[in-house]
Amino acid sequence: MQISRTASRVTAAVAVAGATVLAVSVPAFAHVSVQPEGTAAKGGYATVDFKVPNERDDASTTKIEVNLPAEHPLASVMPQPVPGWSVKVTKSKLDKPLTMHGEKIGEAVTKVTWTADGKGIEPGYFQKFPLSLGALPEDTDQLVFKAIQTYSNKEVVRWIEVPQEGQDEPENPAPTLALSAATDDHHGTATADDDAKGGDKDDAHQEAADSDGGTDTTARVLGIVGIVIGVAGVAYGVLAGRRRTA
């Protein structure tokens, strides 16, 4: 009877330890985010990807709306076609015209909306939505894009809260693009030749990043297995000791 009660306590301890390990290992929910393909240098041009994960188990993402920063209007905004999605580019008149390549531009893109032609982003998946942007402003270190995500069940999630330095991340942070320092080569402007020459390097860099991510994941899994095995070993030792003293 004593051994049975001891076994029950050990089993409970193992269960609690395992649950704690899993709780620590579960990642936080992903948010709508924006990352450059390469660099996003001040004064230059960049292609950026808006990464939209589906955070619901019972609905698909059917529309994503990205609002461009009005305080830093961009003269050139071009979306890349995304299979299964239609795109609408909205322009508005500027209070202060921009000058680009010696020409004055009186309007700029203020919003880009992607709408799914079919099921959209289903549970357990994400989708990237690329935009070519330029010229990037030189008087700020970041650009904030407020995004609105709509699900097939009509739920709307507004990713519009601006992260503040020194404070915790808000519940629904707006996608924020960090800008690097301007380069000497046309203020960081990327040309078609530059893209072609740097393609292999970008692929190698991405493969290395994927490899690092896989290694990190493997290390975490092995760490969890080691902890669970360690707890099981302690439990076995306790039971063996009880049997010898019984």
Side-chain angles (χ1 to χ4, degrees):
M1 182 65 70
Q2 181 65 28
I3 294 177
S4 178
R5 285 198 296 269
T6 302
S8 297
R9 293 193 186 99
V10 172
T11 301
V14 172
V16 170
T20 301
V21 171
L22 291 177
V24 171
S25 304
V26 173
F29 285 118
H31 304 314
V32 174
S33 59
V34 59
Q35 291 293 333
E37 295 182 4
T39 60
K42 298 177 181 180
Y45 290 77
T47 297
V48 302
D49 294 325
F50 287 90
K51 183 179 179 181
V52 182
N54 186 31
E55 295 184 321
R56 300 294 179 265
D57 296 328
D58 56 354
S60 298
T61 295
T62 55
K63 185 168 72 172
I64 183 72
E65 174 185 311
V66 172
N67 293 276
L68 280 72
E71 64 275 20
H72 296 291
L74 301 171
S76 176
V77 177
M78 292 186 294
Q80 178 177 317
V82 178
W85 296 77
S86 59
V87 61
K88 178 182 178 181
V89 176
T90 302
K91 295 183 178 181
S92 299
K93 291 185 178 180
L94 299 174
D95 295 332
K96 183 180 179 180
L98 298 174
T99 301
M100 184 177 180
H101 303 305
E103 297 183 4
K104 286 189 176 182
I105 299 176
E107 64 178 12
V109 174
T110 54
K111 181 171 62 176
V112 180
T113 305
W114 289 270
T115 304
D117 297 328
K119 294 182 179 180
I121 309 172
E122 298 185 77
Y125 291 87
F126 73 89
Q127 177 67 55
K128 289 183 178 181
F129 298 90
L131 282 181
S132 174
L133 306 175
L136 300 175
E138 299 184 62
D139 57 350
T140 184
D141 294 326
Q142 64 180 25
L143 290 177
V144 178
F145 301 86
K146 296 183 178 181
I148 299 176
Q149 183 177 13
T150 302
Y151 286 90
S152 56
N153 60 2
K154 307 303 180 183
E155 178 187 4
V156 176
V157 181
R158 301 178 184 277
W159 304 98
I160 61 174
E161 299 177 68
V162 181
Q164 301 296 328
E165 186 176 356
Q167 298 183 12
D168 293 338
E169 183 181 67
E171 184 177 355
N172 294 312
T176 302
L177 176 68
L179 302 181
S180 60
T183 64
D184 294 333
D185 182 16
H186 303 292
H187 300 288
T189 301
T191 64
D193 290 340
D194 292 335
D195 290 341
K197 293 176 181 178
D200 293 339
K201 294 181 180 179
D202 290 342
D203 291 343
H205 182 272
Q206 183 62 46
E207 290 177 2
D210 292 342
S211 177
D212 290 343
T215 302
D216 183 59
T217 300
T218 302
R220 291 182 182 178
V221 172
L222 291 177
I224 294 172
V225 172
I227 293 174
V228 173
I229 291 175
V231 173
V234 172
Y236 177 80
V238 172
L239 287 175
R242 292 290 184 178
R243 289 196 181 103
R244 286 196 296 271
T245 57

